[in-house]
Amino acid sequence: MKPMRRALFLLPALALASCAPPGRQSFAASPEGADTQTIAAATAFQGRIPLVSIQPGTRDFAAPLQQAVKQALAIKPDAVFQVMSATPASGNPDADTKILAALMPQAEAVVAAIIADGIPAARITTGAKTAGQTPQILVYVK
């Protein structure tokens, strides 16, 4: 009878030994996808997420912009910055052009603030485009 008892104890041990240890897929067989806000932001900005977005009329953007530029330079010391004026496409090119032209003085102030933070003008480009949900100034880093 003792050999029978040993066999009963060995069967569970053998069964456990043949199993793989639990892995990540054991606990999350179907991982969650990206949240809808992240997807919407990537779509709105054509796959590029801006470093900073500044709403028209904002006057106190210098300190947050300086902090963002400093953080970007900590990651990539030779970073190049792109300042873009953006407005949603209205279907009327003349209206879009007027809105973008109205954003240009603020975009120039953003460029001046980046230069004041020690970035050479040669590492800053400017532009305008129709994108997003509201008119704004976008600062990208490359």
Side-chain angles (χ1 to χ4, degrees):
M1 282 254 244
K2 286 190 179 187
M4 183 68 139
R5 266 191 214 166
R6 281 190 205 150
L8 290 176
F9 287 116
L10 286 176
L11 284 176
L14 288 173
L16 286 176
S18 66
C19 293
R24 182 174 178 191
Q25 61 275 20
S26 300
F27 299 108
S30 55
E32 294 182 27
D35 63 287
T36 55
Q37 288 178 336
T38 303
I39 293 170
T43 302
F45 298 118
Q46 300 168 346
R48 294 177 61 202
I49 305 298
L51 176 67
V52 176
S53 62
I54 302 168
Q55 301 303 315
T58 304
R59 299 280 179 239
D60 58 347
F61 60 82
L65 177 63
Q66 180 184 32
Q67 189 65 20
V69 167
K70 197 180 291 186
Q71 289 175 356
L73 292 174
I75 295 169
K76 187 176 180 186
D78 61 340
V80 176
F81 298 89
Q82 184 178 33
V83 179
M84 298 288 288
S85 299
T87 188
S90 67
N92 182 344
D94 291 334
D96 294 345
T97 303
K98 286 178 184 176
I99 294 170
L100 291 170
L103 290 174
M104 288 311 291
Q106 189 170 7
E108 291 170 356
V110 170
V111 170
I114 294 173
I115 291 171
D117 293 337
I119 305 301
R123 290 179 30 198
I124 304 169
T125 60
T126 59
K129 65 180 180 176
T130 54
Q133 303 296 319
T134 59
Q136 55 193 324
I137 308 297
L138 304 171
V139 180
Y140 295 101
V141 64
K142 297 188 215 178

